[in-house]
Amino acid sequence: MPESSAPPSPASGTVPSAAPSATSSPASSAAPSRDPGTAARTVLGEADIARALTRIAHEIVERNKGAADLLLLGIPTRGVQLAHRLAERLAQIEPTFSGEYGTLDVTMYRDDLRRQPTRAVGQTVLPGSLDGTIDDKVVVLVDDVLFSGRTIRAALDALNDLGRPRVVQLAALVDRGHRELPIRADYVGKNLPTSRSERVRVRLADVDGGADSVVISEVASAGVSTGSTGDASTASTGESEATL
């Protein structure tokens, strides 16, 4: 959820329409680049991320034999933007898909609130056409980095309060391993073997500015919890799956 500073939540009951993402044309990061000053290396560039999302969209359509009753729910922060981009691609692949997507806030379902109590509660927003229910829908949770699995566990608990979907699937841009719960992704953009002394950061242009990228760096000190973006969150560094 990964997890860092969250962008402004959409107004309650509304979901932003799928608008074309700003694109540029940087070269694919086939060979990871390294910043000698920070010992960080870029493992995915903008073109790589775009290709991964296009492939995931096709896999979603193939696995579900279309996009009927399909609902994408992004986990803040960057999972929401990734859900937006996937919705755009799905609408291009399947003209019957409405392009709608939603936001699933899992803050109050996390199991680390006692250790990190100062978390801002976000919004869960479903497309207006659903009338507030996800019953009998094919729900695809979208997150940036899958790490311990605890954020996804929280997301499943949050879904229980919204209804009873027919199927729940998980799409993650990056799977970095180190699972602590029996949770796996159905759709993965990139599997990145990492050590716990490394941090994975997903940077998206519409959240962080600059070009899209996935960067791996060493944790600066023993006092910093090891992790990544996506499954646990360190408040505001652009990381989601750091400790949860």
Side-chain angles (χ1 to χ4, degrees), residues 16 18 25 51 75 98 106 111 147 157 162 170 192 211 232 238 240 244:
S25 55
R51 283 194 295 269
I75 300 175
S98 66
V106 303
D111 62 10
F147 181 35
D157 287 347
L162 296 177
L170 172 60
L192 290 178
S240 337
L244 180 58

Side-chain angles (χ1 to χ4, degrees), residues 3 29-30 34 51 62 68 74-75 82 89 104 122 128 138 174 184 197 200 205 212 217 231 241 244:
E3 304 160 0
S29 58
R34 184 179 294 272
R51 283 194 295 269
E62 181 177 0
I75 300 175
L82 294 173
R89 287 163 168 79
L104 181 66
V138 177
V174 172
R184 67 172 179 80
S197 66
V200 177
D212 295 344
S217 60
D231 214 357
E241 195 169 332
L244 180 58

Side-chain angles (χ1 to χ4, degrees), residues 211-237:
D212 295 344
S213 64
V214 176
V215 178
I216 296 180
S217 60
E218 291 291 330
V219 174
S221 67
V224 179
S225 75
T226 59
S228 75
T229 69
D231 214 357
S233 183
T234 55
S236 60
T237 59

Side-chain angles (χ1 to χ4, degrees), residues 88-193:
E88 291 180 333
R89 287 163 168 79
L90 287 168
Q92 294 171 356
I93 299 169
E94 285 288 321
T96 58
F97 181 68
S98 66
E100 292 183 316
Y101 67 97
T103 301
L104 181 66
D105 181 67
V106 303
T107 304
M108 299 309 297
Y109 298 87
R110 296 171 60 94
D111 62 10
D112 64 345
L113 289 177
R114 286 176 295 180
R115 292 184 294 170
Q116 302 183 42
T118 56
R119 291 186 178 276
V121 178
Q123 284 186 309
T124 289
V125 182
L126 300 180
S129 61
L130 295 184
D131 295 325
T133 181
I134 59 173
D135 291 348
D136 297 319
K137 298 297 182 182
V138 177
V139 173
V140 179
L141 299 174
V142 183
D143 207 356
D144 54 357
V145 177
L146 180 60
F147 181 35
S148 67
R150 293 179 181 271
T151 291
I152 305 307
R153 192 276 311 161
L156 293 173
D157 287 347
L159 282 178
N160 285 336
D161 286 347
L162 296 177
R164 190 177 189 275
R166 184 166 77 246
V167 177
V168 180
Q169 299 170 354
L170 172 60
L173 178 61
V174 172
D175 185 343
R176 63 163 298 183
H178 303 292
R179 211 76 74 245
E180 297 173 4
L181 297 172
I183 288 173
R184 67 172 179 80
D186 299 277
Y187 315 102
V188 177
K190 181 72 172 180
N191 287 289
L192 290 178

Side-chain angles (χ1 to χ4, degrees), residues 9-84:
S9 301
S12 177
T14 63
V15 174
S17 59
S21 304
T23 59
S24 55
S25 55
S28 168
S29 58
S33 61
R34 184 179 294 272
D35 180 346
T38 61
R41 66 188 188 276
T42 299
V43 293
L44 293 177
E46 184 167 345
D48 302 311
I49 292 173
R51 283 194 295 269
L53 291 176
T54 298
R55 174 170 51 78
I56 288 174
H58 281 278
E59 290 175 354
I60 290 173
V61 171
E62 181 177 0
R63 180 167 183 155
N64 295 291
K65 297 178 174 59
D69 298 322
L70 187 68
L71 171 62
L72 301 178
L73 288 181
I75 300 175
T77 298
R78 288 155 188 78
V80 177
Q81 302 303 326
L82 294 173
H84 179 185

